[in-house]
């Protein structure tokens, strides 16, 4: 096993892993996507008494619904159309060893019942079989969902949740262990381009960024930065535009550019301390968003309200600012370039190696667009050709682009490399109108 870390939180986690590994109890690993839950699961197997026995890992979310049961528990010849022979399931393949179920929260209720029985030691039948199968498996599961909330909502069985979480390990997100960021960045650089170094400014920007995709996102960013840099030095300009704008905070008086939701802003408008209750409430919301770099979920948690309530209050604030001619804030020319407006339209994509697919956009800026449902095989493409339409703009927009970052579930940030001048002008005017509609003032 090879782990790269410096933070105390990861040190405590791995110490706990070594202690838990010696037991045969089930372990549930929780954490955001990209934090390294599979690495922790492999460490559990490596340090266990089963380390010389099989390790089998399964992504429950990637298995088609109609195949999950047959893949987990196996099937006999003739059990269904196409079953030309018998096949061992993952439980049998992992016998005497460790079975890792990633994204266990995706299992449908019928399989949750069968999984619970197997965990309790009950023999089971293969699909279409008449002979019971007995296995000795140490189960490790992982999820990025709030399973306790899923239990409360009836989407996940409570008894299975408690059975899976005899031991529960939480992998901290990268933003909670900033001291690991430079170390990991250097490691990924050396793995992909030995001899490359990080500039001091690049390190400071990497530490200031919040890394919603965690370690996986950092790895992808460093692989791309290492390929693009010159003189074997990664500078701030080699980082994706979404990251480059996160300048480090120099002092309490010099705030870094922040954002409300997808909207960057330089500073919240001052609210008089003698204002009414509504003004105080507005100030608290803006201050919470500032502290959390515009992350509405974290700000809502701090304020003790739901994310939906926070979104509704922000919308109300924008409407009030328009009615009273009060601006939410002033956008500099640089911030206007990063302003993201919601845009949900189909985008036709053709990769440099000839793959074609259609993805849905979520937002757009002058410099790029965010897409959902980007296929895994297209995520390493060197360049893309995009074609999409924006409501209110007559001609379709065509752009040459590249992937700036991408998550495992197919959400990607796309950077425009080249776009037709007329189309770029139309898009910029459309986004400027959206800025005004939301209550922002743009510097000319």
């Amino acid at each position: 096993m090879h782990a790269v870390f410096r933070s105390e939180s990861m040190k405590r986690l791995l110490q706990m892993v070594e202690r838990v590994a010696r037991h045969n109890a089930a372990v549930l690993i929780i954490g955001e996507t990209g934090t390294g839950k599979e690495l922790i699961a492999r460490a559990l197997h490596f340090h266990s008494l089963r380390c010389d026995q099989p390790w089998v890992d399964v992504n429950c979310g990637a298995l088609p619904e109609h195949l999950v049961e047959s893949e987990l528990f196996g099937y006999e010849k003739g059990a269904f159309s196409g079953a030309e022979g018998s096949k061992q399931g993952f439980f049998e393949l992992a016998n005497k060893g460790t079975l890792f179920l990633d994204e266990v929260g995706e299992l449908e209720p019928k399989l949750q019942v069968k999984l619970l029985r197997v965990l309790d030691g009950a023999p089971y039948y293969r699909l279409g079989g008449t002979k019971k199968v007995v296995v000795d498996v140490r189960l490790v599961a992982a999820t990025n969902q709030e399973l306790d909330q899923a239990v409360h909502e009836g989407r996940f069985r409570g008894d299975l949740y408690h059975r899976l979480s005899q031991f529960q390990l939480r992998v901290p997100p990268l933003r909670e262990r900033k001291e690991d960021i430079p170390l990991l960045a250097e490691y990924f650089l050396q793995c992909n381009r030995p001899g490359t170094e990080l500039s001091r400014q690049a390190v400071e920007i990497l530490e200031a960024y919040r890394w919603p995709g965690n370690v996986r996102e950092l790895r992808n960013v460093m692989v791309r930065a290492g390929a693009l840099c010159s003189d074997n030095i990664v500078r701030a300009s080699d980082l994706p535009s979404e990251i480059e704008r996160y300048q480090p905070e120099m002092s309490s008086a010099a705030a870094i550019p922040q954002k409300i939701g997808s909207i960057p802003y330089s500073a919240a408008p001052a609210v008089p301390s003698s204002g009414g209750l509504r003004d105080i409430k507005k100030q608290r919301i803006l201050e919470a968003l500032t502290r959390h770099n515009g992350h509405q979920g974290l700000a809502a948690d701090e304020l003790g309200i739901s994310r939906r309530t926070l979104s509704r209050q922000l919308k109300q604030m924008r409407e009030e600012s328009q009615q009273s001619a009060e601006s939410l804030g002033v956008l500099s020319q640089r911030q206007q370039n990063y302003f993201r407006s919601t845009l949900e339209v189909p985008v036709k994509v053709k990769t440099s190696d000839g793959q074609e697919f259609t993805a849905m956009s979520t937002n757009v800026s002058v410099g790029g667009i965010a897409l959902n449902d980007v296929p895994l095989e297209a995520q390493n493409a060197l360049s893309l050709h995009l074609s999409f339409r924006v409501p209110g703009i007559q001609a379709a927009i065509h752009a040459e682009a590249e992937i700036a970052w991408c998550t495992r579930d197919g959400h990607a940030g796309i950077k425009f490399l080249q776009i037709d001048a007329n189309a770029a002008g139309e898009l910029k005017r459309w986004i400027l109108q959206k800025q005004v509609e939301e209550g922002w003032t743009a510097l000319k």
Side-chain angles (χ1 to χ4, degrees):
M1 292 297 299
H2 186 66
V4 179
F5 66 93
R6 181 180 289 145
S7 61
E8 283 298 318
S9 58
M10 284 300 294
K11 181 179 179 180
R12 290 193 298 269
L13 175 61
L14 291 174
Q15 287 174 343
M16 181 62 71
V17 164
E18 292 186 25
R19 294 169 59 187
V20 171
R22 297 287 174 173
H23 299 271
N24 281 322
V27 179
L28 178 64
I29 304 172
I30 61 174
E32 298 177 7
T33 182
T35 51
K37 296 186 290 297
E38 183 176 348
L39 176 68
I40 298 303
R42 288 182 178 273
L44 283 166
H45 177 71
F46 178 82
H47 290 289
S48 74
L49 300 177
R50 300 170 181 257
C51 59
D52 56 347
Q53 298 297 327
W55 157 270
V56 178
D57 57 282
V58 184
N59 188 331
C60 300
L63 291 175
E65 288 186 12
H66 62 287
L67 292 180
V68 176
E69 183 173 5
S70 62
E71 291 295 321
L72 285 178
F73 303 107
Y75 57 82
E76 297 291 350
K77 181 179 180 180
F80 50 84
S81 177
E84 299 178 353
S86 61
K87 178 183 176 181
Q88 289 183 321
F90 290 128
F91 271 94
E92 288 178 79
L93 294 174
N95 191 32
K96 303 297 183 181
T98 303
L99 177 62
F100 174 52
L101 297 182
D102 197 7
E103 306 299 345
V104 71
E106 301 293 335
L107 288 177
E108 58 183 21
K110 182 179 69 173
L111 282 173
Q112 293 178 24
V113 176
K114 193 165 185 178
L115 179 59
L116 179 63
R117 286 183 54 79
V118 175
L119 288 177
D120 286 335
Y124 64 90
Y125 293 101
R126 290 181 183 174
L127 202 63
T130 57
K131 182 180 178 181
K132 286 189 173 182
V133 178
V134 180
V135 293
D136 173 20
V137 170
R138 201 284 178 76
L139 188 70
V140 179
T143 182
N144 58 14
Q145 299 183 25
E146 299 290 345
L147 281 192
D148 51 351
Q149 181 66 25
V151 170
H152 180 72
E153 296 172 356
R155 294 183 288 108
F156 199 85
R157 293 182 62 96
D159 46 5
L160 177 58
Y161 169 68
H162 294 298
R163 183 66 177 79
L164 288 173
S165 57
Q166 290 178 327
F167 284 105
Q168 188 172 119
L169 301 175
R170 176 183 177 270
V171 186
L174 199 53
R175 63 179 176 273
E176 293 182 7
R177 44 190 178 104
K178 289 183 179 291
E179 56 266 54
D180 290 343
I181 293 175
L183 200 64
L184 286 165
E186 291 281 0
Y187 172 74
F188 293 136
L189 271 181
Q190 297 309 313
C191 286
N192 293 279
R193 190 171 173 177
T196 308
E197 299 178 357
L198 277 168
S199 69
R200 182 179 181 85
Q201 186 184 15
V203 170
E204 292 174 346
I205 291 175
L206 292 176
E207 290 178 332
Y209 184 56
R210 291 192 60 79
W211 298 107
N214 292 291
V215 179
R216 184 181 295 110
E217 183 183 2
L218 175 60
R219 180 189 61 199
N220 294 340
V221 167
M222 297 320 300
V223 169
R224 184 173 292 272
L228 296 176
C229 72
S230 57
D231 303 326
N232 286 336
I233 299 177
V234 173
R235 299 176 175 85
S237 58
D238 298 316
L239 302 175
S241 56
E242 292 83 0
I243 297 176
E244 185 186 357
R245 77 172 188 270
Y246 278 79
Q247 299 295 328
E249 187 171 339
M250 302 305 294
S251 68
S252 58
I256 62 173
Q258 308 287 339
K259 59 179 182 175
I260 293 181
S262 60
I263 310 168
Y265 67 98
S266 56
V271 180
S273 59
S274 59
L277 183 60
R278 179 173 297 182
D279 287 339
I280 296 174
K281 179 178 171 182
K282 176 180 176 180
Q283 185 177 17
R284 286 190 60 208
I285 290 174
L286 293 175
E287 288 175 349
L289 285 164
T290 300
R291 282 191 291 272
H292 295 290
N293 290 347
H295 193 296
Q296 291 191 18
L298 296 175
D301 289 342
E302 178 183 325
L303 295 167
I305 59 178
S306 68
R307 183 166 183 167
R308 181 176 298 179
T309 299
L310 178 59
S311 297
R312 186 173 63 250
Q313 291 178 352
L314 286 171
K315 181 180 179 181
Q316 182 180 354
M317 287 164 56
R318 284 193 289 266
E319 291 173 350
E320 289 175 353
S321 70
Q322 292 166 9
Q323 294 171 1
S324 63
E326 176 190 354
S327 172
L328 281 177
V330 178
L331 299 180
S332 66
Q333 188 63 53
R334 177 181 173 83
Q335 289 171 328
Q336 292 175 50
N337 293 335
Y338 290 121
F339 183 96
R340 299 179 187 179
S341 179
T342 300
L343 179 69
E344 297 180 351
V345 297
V347 179
K348 294 182 180 179
V349 184
K350 184 175 181 180
T351 67
S352 54
D353 54 4
Q355 300 179 57
E356 296 186 26
F357 62 92
T358 299
M360 287 298 296
S361 65
T362 57
N363 60 65
V364 67
S365 69
V366 174
I369 192 168
L371 300 180
N372 278 331
D373 307 319
V374 176
L376 182 63
E377 58 271 18
Q379 293 180 12
N380 292 320
L382 295 177
S383 63
L384 309 171
H385 178 79
L386 310 181
S387 177
F388 61 96
R389 290 186 175 274
V390 176
I393 298 180
Q394 186 174 2
I397 294 178
H398 301 277
E400 299 299 323
E402 66 178 4
I403 296 179
W405 54 266
C406 196
T407 63
R408 185 174 62 178
D409 57 1
H411 185 54
I414 310 298
K415 179 181 179 181
F416 296 146
L417 299 176
Q418 185 176 357
I419 187 170
D420 177 77
N422 291 333
E426 290 289 333
L427 180 61
K428 187 171 184 178
R429 282 190 287 272
W430 183 83
I431 292 175
L432 179 60
Q433 179 61 34
K434 294 297 180 182
Q435 295 173 12
V436 174
E437 290 175 1
E438 294 194 13
W440 296 92
T441 301
L443 290 177
K444 302 296 184 180

